[in-house]
Amino acid sequence: MTEFPPLKNDLLLRTARGERVERPPVWVMRQAGRYLPEYHQVKGDHDFFECCRSPEIASALTLQPIERYGDLLDASIIFSDILVIPQAMGMTVEMVDKKGPHFPDPLKDPTCEQYKELLERDVDVEKELDYVYKAITLTRQKLNGRVPLYGFCGAPWTLFCYMVEGGGSKLFIQVKKWIFKYPEESKKMLDKLAKLCVEYLALQVKAGAQIVQVFDSWAAELSPSSFKDFSLPYLRYISKHLPERLKALKQEQVPMVVFAKGAWYALNDLCDSGYQVVGLDWLQNPDDAVRIAKGRVVLQGNADPGVLYGGKEAITAVVGDMVSGFGGGKQGWIANLGHGITPFVNPDDLKFFFQEIRRLAVKGDA
């Protein structure tokens, strides 16, 4: 087992465990990314997935916001991508400039040979995604205990969407065809993906991740009833089986976070889904979320990422609403955006966002 430097700032982990804390911890999704000038310097001419597959580059990119923002950040998140799981399964995934992820050969229907091959293939998650674990271990060492490190994966439903649609989509015609025309075949693939997610997250923890998050980025494409059939059972599978797998690997348990973007209607179910932390997007009022959660989980979120384009006055107003809505942040709240940082954000405006969370949370306690 790798020895790591002792953690100096455990604020986020204490918060995730439900403890009362001195202030709300803060980090943001996609905090290591293209809005930072230094990201482009390190990435250079490398393809996006080349960066993910290089432990040295992935680690350097992970550390950039920590180096830039210092003690304003309370966590780091490994630079990687949710689509490494389909890649590990044998599917080709490309990152196309100004378009996003692209699958040249998506799943067509349950009769195609690829569907059968993917279901039957024995995926060696340890071998295929070794570069992620190496990046995590290297990053833990370089962090030197400054902040904890998030590992993550895509939720089965979201991965399935990409595998069937061949990339992002506005209409989601193909995946809707699958779940309504081939529901049982869809569930078989979702089950396969859930099992791979468990193993992948467990090995991230073994490599050094101290908290893990499951991103269900396309949850909003499901109706409430479809969410209960095609997303929630597989999110629950992960939360149930990951602790068991960690125990088998003789690893300490870590907090688990679920973020189902757009599934505001499912918050009550998500609070009972086995995760210690539930991420919120900006479509929910914090005070409503607190009322629904009733202290069952810690909440994470949920500023509209677009506020970072709006200037200091707008940022102050949004942060003030969050601090008030989440009860001041001394318990049960990890401050974040309601989704990842969008392109062309000025890094100094993000810094002001962090500063205002610190200032207004402390002010509210005065």
Side-chain angles (χ1 to χ4, degrees):
M1 187 180 295
T2 307
E3 291 291 325
F4 296 113
L7 187 59
K8 300 166 189 172
N9 177 0
D10 66 347
L11 176 66
L12 186 137
L13 296 183
R14 287 186 284 123
T15 303
R17 291 193 293 262
E19 297 177 20
R20 187 164 179 82
V21 292
E22 56 274 23
R23 62 173 177 83
V26 60
W27 71 284
V28 294
M29 292 173 275
R30 292 193 194 136
Q31 65 186 30
R34 55 186 171 172
Y35 74 101
L36 291 173
E38 53 266 40
Y39 167 86
H40 298 280
Q41 294 169 6
V42 171
K43 181 179 181 293
D45 294 328
H46 295 286
D47 170 80
F48 174 82
F49 283 115
E50 276 185 69
C51 295
C52 294
R53 286 190 287 267
S54 166
E56 291 76 18
I57 295 176
S59 179
L61 295 174
T62 301
L63 289 167
Q64 284 180 344
I66 306 303
E67 301 290 354
R68 175 181 277 265
Y69 297 116
D71 64 2
L72 289 174
L73 274 173
D74 296 300
S76 55
I77 182 166
I78 194 66
F79 182 86
S80 187
D81 194 83
I82 63 172
L83 297 179
V84 297
I85 286 183
Q87 287 179 330
M89 296 171 74
M91 297 188 80
T92 299
V93 188
E94 304 164 346
M95 193 62 72
V96 180
D97 190 36
K98 298 179 182 177
K99 180 182 177 183
H102 172 65
F103 288 65
D105 187 22
L107 282 172
K108 294 176 177 62
D109 61 59
T111 65
C112 70
E113 196 61 33
Q114 187 184 23
Y115 173 78
K116 297 172 186 174
E117 288 176 358
L118 289 174
L119 274 187
E120 295 171 2
R121 184 170 294 155
D122 184 13
V123 182
D124 188 340
V125 178
E126 185 168 17
K127 175 186 174 185
E128 296 296 334
L129 298 175
D130 179 64
Y131 59 87
V132 178
Y133 316 132
K134 286 180 177 175
I136 287 172
T137 300
L138 181 61
T139 302
R140 275 293 305 275
Q141 292 165 340
K142 287 183 176 180
L143 278 169
N144 195 32
R146 281 176 284 181
V147 292
L149 178 64
Y150 271 73
F152 69 91
C153 73
W157 163 250
T158 290
L159 297 178
F160 186 57
C161 285
Y162 278 110
M163 291 163 65
V164 170
E165 294 290 341
S169 176
K170 290 183 179 179
L171 299 177
F172 291 86
I173 293 170
Q174 300 307 320
V175 77
K176 293 296 180 76
K177 184 188 295 182
W178 271 78
I179 64 171
F180 291 119
K181 196 171 184 178
Y182 314 115
E184 294 311 311
E185 292 85 348
S186 297
K187 290 175 181 179
K188 286 179 183 178
M189 187 59 72
L190 289 164
D191 185 63
K192 171 93 173 184
L193 289 166
K195 291 174 181 175
L196 294 175
C197 287
V198 168
E199 187 66 11
Y200 179 43
L201 291 174
L203 292 174
Q204 287 186 59
V205 173
K206 184 179 179 183
Q210 293 152 292
I211 181 170
V212 293
Q213 178 157 321
V214 180
F215 285 86
D216 209 351
S217 306
W218 295 123
E221 299 308 318
L222 291 167
S223 68
S225 61
S226 291
F227 183 82
K228 288 186 176 183
D229 284 339
F230 297 102
S231 177
L232 189 59
Y234 307 98
L235 294 173
R236 284 179 168 155
Y237 181 95
I238 294 170
S239 69
K240 178 183 177 183
H241 289 88
L242 178 57
E244 296 171 0
R245 184 63 180 131
L246 289 175
K247 186 176 180 181
L249 290 171
K250 295 182 170 54
Q251 299 296 311
E252 290 187 11
Q253 300 297 320
V254 301
M256 299 179 292
V257 187
V258 61
F259 175 59
K261 183 177 179 291
W264 54 268
Y265 52 78
L267 179 55
N268 189 54
D269 285 331
L270 289 168
C271 289
D272 288 330
S273 63
Y275 293 83
Q276 290 74 47
V277 182
V278 174
L280 306 173
D281 63 29
W282 66 95
L283 300 180
Q284 286 186 306
N285 288 320
D287 49 357
D288 289 340
V290 169
R291 177 178 50 79
I292 293 168
K294 295 179 181 176
R296 288 174 289 171
V297 295
V298 172
L299 297 172
Q300 178 178 275
N302 72 330
D304 181 344
V307 74
L308 297 176
Y309 301 121
K312 291 184 175 181
E313 186 175 335
I315 291 171
T316 296
V318 167
V319 170
D321 287 345
M322 275 205 307
V323 171
S324 174
F326 286 112
K330 294 303 178 72
Q331 189 170 22
W333 178 42
I334 297 171
N336 205 310
L337 296 173
H339 198 220
I341 299 170
T342 43
F344 312 116
V345 163
N346 185 327
D348 289 338
D349 289 330
L350 181 60
K351 180 178 181 179
F352 184 73
F353 174 78
F354 296 146
Q355 291 171 329
E356 287 298 87
I357 289 171
R358 185 79 60 93
R359 182 181 73 85
L360 292 174
V362 171
K363 181 181 177 182
D365 193 52

